[in-house]
Amino acid sequence: FNGAAHLVRADDSDAATNRRRRPAPPGYLDEQFSQVEDLQDETSPNFTEEVVSLFFKDSTRLMTNIEQTMEKYPRDFSRWDAHVQQLKGSCSSIGASRMKNECTSFRNSCGAGNIESCMRSLQKVKGEHAALRQKLESYFQLLRQAGPAGMAIRHGGM
Amino acid sequence: MKKGWKEIWSGHDGGEVGLPSFGDCERAVMDMESFLARLRVLAVDDDRVCLKILETQLRHCKYNVTAVTRAEAALEMLRARKDGDQFDLVISDVHMPDMDGFKLLELVGLEMDIPVIMLSANEEMETMMKGIKHGACDYLVKPVHLDRLKNIWLHVVKKSMNDPRDHISGANDDASQKRQSGDAEDEKNGADDTKKHSRKNKKDGDDPEEDSENTSTQKRQRIQWSADLHRKFVEAVHQIGIDRAVPKKILDVMGVDGITREHVASHLQKYRLALKKLSLGTDKQSNPCPAGTESWRRDWNYINMNGLASSPSALGTHRLLHSQSVKPISSQRSLGIPVRDMGPAGNGGNLLNAVVHDVSNVTSGNSYGHISNGGLPSGSGPSGSYIENIRNRMVLDADRSFPFAISGNSFANMSNGTQPLVPGLVSNSLKGDVLSMFPGYGPSQGNNLKINQLSGIAASSGQMTAIGDEIQNRMAALKGKSTPVVDFSEQMAPFNLGNYTSVPINNSALASAPTIRSALPDIQIGNLGMLTQMLNGGGANVNVLDEKDGTSKVYQHATGDLVGTSEAQNQMGGDLDDFFIDGLI
């Protein structure tokens, strides 16, 4: 079973692009996630899970940061933007494409100086974060169930 | 191994760079790996996730990696290793909380003179240009693919090739002695950045006396303008008076053997132009040296050094350069080396042009060649207005705020033999993507970068981000050649684990090879026929042969949950990358 497949979408576009094409829900993860998985090998057998777990730790902290910043510095859009950019970088590095898209749209809102849409974006980012976490947790759980043999087959081709 | 790889290595004899010399490819491969393992890369990124991934990617490429999250820590490490075991390359994020990435970049360039690659999630042209202006030898946009990292060693090689061999007197002891005296000179002059010159002085440290041995035997001896020599020159000029300083007089006043009137003449020209540039106003912050003479001198050293760069090797290197360096065209102008005006005395200058021009011809066609020649508009041909605009813009920027010291850096890099390409259009990653926009693009179109089309697109969309979106679109469409991505997504239903009947999972349950990101768990690797059938809306039940125990397992799944790239697609994606790169060489 390959749970991650459901999360993968072939291309990696930003929200703006989506609007122009036929509307479709993007995958939760993009090709970059495959890149990360490909880095896993005998020398670092739990690499993917380590990275993902690190991501959720750090991104949670970042989002809390953003929230606090928005409270402490109302209307300081460039400051907000700087934080969101950080979060976006993280998202992109593990291929969290939906979350990344929401970050982009958040940044756009900051650029436009629109508080409401910033608030909305923040909520969306949090939502994507939670959803992704849930799915990845299930994914890793299944991988564990499959045991070492399962892992071997998943990555044996490389 | 790609063609031309051997060219780089053959003809090099270890020397100070420690590069092995190879007779044949097989030995070359093994030596290559050990070479890579000896390359010390310092990775800096405040984002732990990015850093962890980057570090691992670099290890996979066989580099010797050290990773830090703080720029300060990175600087400490770099400074600690100045006397030995120094890093060969730094890769750093642009946006960091404790220190701006650009600042780190500048400092590394000034103090250690190691190649620095910038990393950023920010793909705005301005930021990229800023990176190059500050002296980055490359700019990679996150997320970084493993492929982009494989060839970063080229930056190291390029840079070290640019340092002059000790052709003249040969003895390394002499060179290091010169270094000590050179350092002493620097301290006397009160410059902060003594260290930055220690490397240069080591290379330049030849006394004019030593040169004289060879002047008689060689027609046009390239002079290394050491700190000492330059000081004499400047003193002479001031003594005579800058307005009345002619090469002959300067030569007499300097009273140094082994340099000719021609040497002085060319040096004087550069000096004059540099003074003129300085008077236009420099960025004081990034130029700590009084009157910029120190960094300026370093620039001229680079020019001289470049004369020694062997063209074929430079070409060979450049052909392989995966992610190309972006060089501001204007840096050449701002240093005031109007190529044509070099005259007979300008050895270094002419050779620079020769190298750059040759290189540009090899890699990307004549339009770039023209640009590289000091940005002369004649015959830019298809490059059209877009490139001209960029160039002009850069020149304007240069005059306004181009930090002089930094321009030296970028110029130095340019003199490595890579041609200055239009920033923003340049990095191969983007170039490859842009090129993918053109249906029917093929290797036969080779070096012709279709500047017309590029400029057309740029003009119409007006912003690189819009292009970026479009590029992604096309790329995606290309990746999904066998099964159109767009159709795919319409079939996509939200991720739903529950649709799968749980089947006892055994060895092959996770049968998908890493490259098959298929939703069909029990597909055997290579079972693409069935895969395609399913992806195209096949039935709810999948009978799959279980390789391990020979039984047939039944999977039920909801139609429409089929997402993801097939092996073919992934393969295609990977191949496409290679495809583009090959096309560019």
Side-chain angles (χ1 to χ4, degrees):
Chain A
F1 169 76
N2 185 344
H6 285 264
L7 310 181
V8 174
R9 175 196 188 215
D11 68 275
D12 171 18
S13 317
D14 276 349
T17 310
N18 288 341
R19 267 181 261 117
R20 275 190 263 120
R21 303 188 313 125
R22 279 177 268 179
Y28 285 85
L29 293 173
D30 63 32
E31 177 192 282
Q32 182 61 20
F33 188 75
S34 319
Q35 282 266 311
V36 173
E37 285 194 301
D38 288 347
L39 291 173
Q40 184 162 311
D41 59 16
E42 321 78 45
T43 58
S44 49
N46 300 310
F47 181 72
T48 313
E49 203 169 346
E50 284 166 12
V51 170
V52 168
S53 121
L54 191 61
F55 168 74
F56 280 113
K57 255 192 226 138
D58 282 0
S59 56
T60 305
R61 187 176 39 85
L62 272 173
M63 289 192 309
T64 309
N65 240 345
I66 292 174
E67 255 182 316
Q68 288 173 352
T69 302
M70 286 172 86
E71 273 176 57
K72 191 169 173 199
Y73 303 96
R75 301 200 65 87
D76 192 342
F77 295 104
S78 66
R79 191 186 288 261
W80 300 1
D81 181 73
H83 286 285
V84 180
Q85 191 173 55
Q86 254 189 303
L87 181 61
K88 181 180 170 181
S90 246
C91 294
S92 76
S93 67
I94 66 153
S97 61
R98 282 171 71 142
M99 203 173 151
K100 186 184 80 164
N101 288 349
E102 290 305 337
C103 287
T104 301
S105 129
F106 196 155
R107 289 196 70 201
N108 291 339
S109 306
C110 290
N114 185 332
I115 296 193
E116 282 91 36
S117 72
C118 281
M119 295 295 183
R120 276 197 302 272
S121 285
L122 177 64
Q123 294 314 311
K124 289 217 191 103
V125 169
K126 285 164 105 178
E128 291 297 340
H129 184 252
L132 181 64
R133 178 184 230 141
Q134 192 187 43
K135 297 190 191 310
L136 280 174
E137 272 169 10
S138 312
Y139 172 60
F140 286 121
Q141 207 168 40
L142 280 159
L143 279 183
R144 272 193 293 273
Q145 279 179 20
M151 297 298 285
I153 292 202
R154 252 193 64 64
H155 298 277
M158 287 303 277
Chain B
M1 282 293 156
K2 294 195 174 158
K3 221 194 319 178
W5 185 92
K6 256 170 69 176
E7 291 172 71
I8 306 175
W9 299 124
S10 65
H12 281 239
D13 52 346
E16 61 224 21
V17 188
L19 298 173
S21 69
F22 306 114
D24 51 76
C25 249
E26 280 153 357
R27 253 175 62 220
V29 175
M30 289 189 306
D31 288 332
M32 184 64 178
E33 286 200 2
S34 67
F35 165 65
L36 288 176
R38 276 183 288 145
L39 261 187
R40 282 154 307 227
V41 179
L42 179 61
V44 191
D45 194 331
D46 64 305
D47 185 315
R48 289 195 299 179
V49 177
C50 296
L51 188 66
K52 186 175 168 87
I53 294 174
L54 178 63
E55 184 182 9
T56 310
Q57 284 175 315
L58 288 167
R59 291 234 164 85
H60 270 241
C61 296
K62 311 283 189 242
Y63 295 108
N64 177 341
V65 192
T66 308
V68 294
T69 52
R70 282 174 43 251
E72 286 291 353
L75 263 181
E76 271 170 39
M77 292 179 102
L78 288 162
R79 283 171 178 152
R81 293 190 185 204
K82 272 187 191 167
D83 298 322
D85 206 33
Q86 180 59 283
F87 289 99
D88 298 297
L89 180 70
V90 176
I91 301 191
S92 169
D93 188 35
V94 164
H95 300 281
M96 293 187 287
D98 69 326
M99 184 191 300
D100 183 31
F102 296 114
K103 177 107 183 127
L104 175 67
L105 168 57
E106 274 186 42
L107 288 171
V108 172
L110 286 173
E111 295 187 31
M112 295 103 202
D113 198 31
I114 304 170
V116 180
I117 296 177
M118 299 305 293
L119 276 182
S120 179
N122 187 333
E123 49 198 334
E124 287 158 23
M125 261 185 86
E126 282 157 33
T127 318
M128 293 174 91
M129 269 167 32
K130 190 177 175 192
I132 299 308
K133 275 189 184 178
H134 281 71
C137 66
D138 206 346
Y139 188 109
L140 302 176
V141 179
K142 290 183 184 176
V144 181
H145 266 234
L146 195 66
D147 293 337
R148 305 276 171 240
L149 296 172
K150 279 194 182 134
N151 291 336
I152 57 175
W153 60 270
L154 285 166
H155 294 290
V156 179
V157 172
K158 258 188 354 200
K159 195 148 192 128
S160 63
M161 274 173 53
N162 204 44
D163 297 333
R165 309 293 146 101
D166 208 359
H167 284 220
I168 294 165
S169 62
N172 279 335
D173 323 329
D174 288 346
S176 57
Q177 271 174 26
K178 298 295 175 301
R179 169 165 52 135
Q180 283 161 18
S181 64
D183 277 347
E185 287 288 344
D186 284 346
E187 276 157 34
K188 264 191 254 157
N189 289 339
D192 299 347
D193 43 5
T194 57
K195 291 299 179 190
K196 117 187 152 198
H197 287 295
S198 63
R199 243 186 69 155
K200 293 297 148 287
N201 289 340
K202 182 159 114 181
K203 308 292 195 281
D204 313 329
D206 302 307
D207 253 339
E209 283 73 41
E210 288 174 291
D211 285 346
S212 67
E213 292 172 1
N214 298 318
T215 308
S216 48
T217 50
Q218 285 174 276
K219 263 277 165 162
R220 288 213 265 184
Q221 180 58 49
R222 288 174 200 101
I223 274 291
Q224 307 299 335
W225 283 89
S226 65
D228 200 41
L229 198 57
H230 179 72
R231 191 176 47 84
K232 290 200 174 106
F233 168 85
V234 174
E235 277 172 9
V237 168
H238 286 164
Q239 197 177 317
I240 303 168
I242 184 79
D243 294 326
R244 291 179 302 128
V246 286
K248 182 80 174 56
K249 264 198 190 144
I250 298 172
L251 193 57
D252 289 339
V253 170
M254 279 174 77
V256 162
D257 286 336
I259 48 173
T260 68
R261 195 204 72 83
E262 281 78 27
H263 290 133
V264 175
S266 72
H267 196 72
L268 177 64
Q269 195 166 39
K270 295 167 197 169
Y271 183 64
R272 279 218 178 96
L273 291 161
L275 283 182
K276 187 173 155 209
K277 165 64 189 150
L278 278 170
S279 71
L280 286 177
T282 58
D283 183 352
K284 292 283 179 279
Q285 269 185 332
S286 49
N287 186 4
C289 318
T293 46
E294 300 287 66
S295 54
W296 176 87
R297 187 160 9 106
R298 191 165 56 109
D299 299 339
W300 305 140
N301 292 336
Y302 272 122
I303 297 161
N304 289 326
M305 285 191 270
N306 179 74
L308 299 173
S310 47
S311 293
S313 308
L315 287 177
T317 307
H318 191 72
R319 281 168 63 91
L320 287 181
L321 188 55
H322 191 109
S323 50
Q324 285 189 3
S325 308
V326 180
K327 305 292 171 275
I329 298 151
S330 63
S331 65
Q332 194 174 13
R333 283 176 76 133
S334 64
L335 284 174
I337 302 189
V339 164
R340 287 198 201 130
D341 300 344
M342 280 310 276
N347 305 348
N350 285 339
L351 266 161
L352 163 63
N353 294 323
V355 172
V356 175
H357 188 77
D358 286 347
V359 169
S360 58
N361 276 337
V362 167
T363 51
S364 67
N366 288 328
S367 52
Y368 285 158
H370 286 296
I371 293 171
S372 72
N373 279 337
L376 305 166
S378 63
S380 303
S383 44
S385 57
Y386 180 66
I387 289 173
E388 301 259 319
N389 284 339
I390 293 284
R391 184 163 44 77
N392 292 335
R393 228 187 325 144
M394 291 223 58
V395 172
L396 286 174
D397 286 347
D399 286 349
R400 236 182 282 125
S401 64
F402 210 151
F404 191 62
I406 303 306
S407 76
N409 233 346
S410 7
F411 180 75
N413 286 334
M414 187 162 71
S415 70
N416 280 346
T418 56
Q419 83 275 26
L421 300 175
V422 178
L425 286 184
V426 169
S427 73
N428 263 4
S429 45
L430 185 57
K431 208 196 283 186
D433 291 349
V434 169
L435 290 166
S436 75
M437 293 181 61
F438 306 112
Y441 171 84
S444 58
Q445 282 150 10
N447 298 337
N448 224 338
L449 250 161
K450 296 202 196 292
I451 308 291
N452 276 339
Q453 286 155 302
L454 285 172
S455 60
I457 286 159
S460 60
S461 66
Q463 281 182 350
M464 279 319 258
T465 46
I467 294 177
D469 288 348
E470 185 62 22
I471 288 165
Q472 298 284 25
N473 259 338
R474 302 302 185 96
M475 195 54 137
L478 282 167
K479 275 186 178 163
K481 205 162 150 188
S482 57
T483 311
V485 171
V486 174
D487 290 343
F488 238 6
S489 31
E490 287 195 302
Q491 287 176 9
M492 256 195 273
F495 176 85
N496 194 339
L497 269 177
N499 280 349
Y500 278 87
T501 316
S502 58
V503 171
I505 297 172
N506 63 11
N507 284 355
S508 59
L510 296 171
S512 311
T515 51
I516 297 184
R517 303 282 179 244
S518 136
L520 308 172
D522 222 15
I523 295 280
Q524 304 301 324
I525 298 168
N527 209 344
L528 289 175
M530 191 182 294
L531 175 65
T532 318
Q533 175 202 330
M534 287 163 190
L535 291 175
N536 285 333
N541 288 333
V542 180
N543 288 324
V544 181
L545 182 64
D546 185 328
E547 195 181 48
K548 290 290 171 175
D549 58 20
T551 60
S552 182
K553 295 216 176 340
V554 176
Y555 267 88
Q556 293 173 339
H557 65 89
T559 318
D561 270 1
L562 307 176
V563 179
T565 54
S566 67
E567 175 177 0
Q569 287 175 352
N570 263 353
Q571 210 65 57
M572 179 109 47
D575 285 347
L576 275 176
D577 283 344
D578 290 339
F579 179 74
F580 291 136
I581 301 304
D582 286 343
L584 287 167
I585 289 179

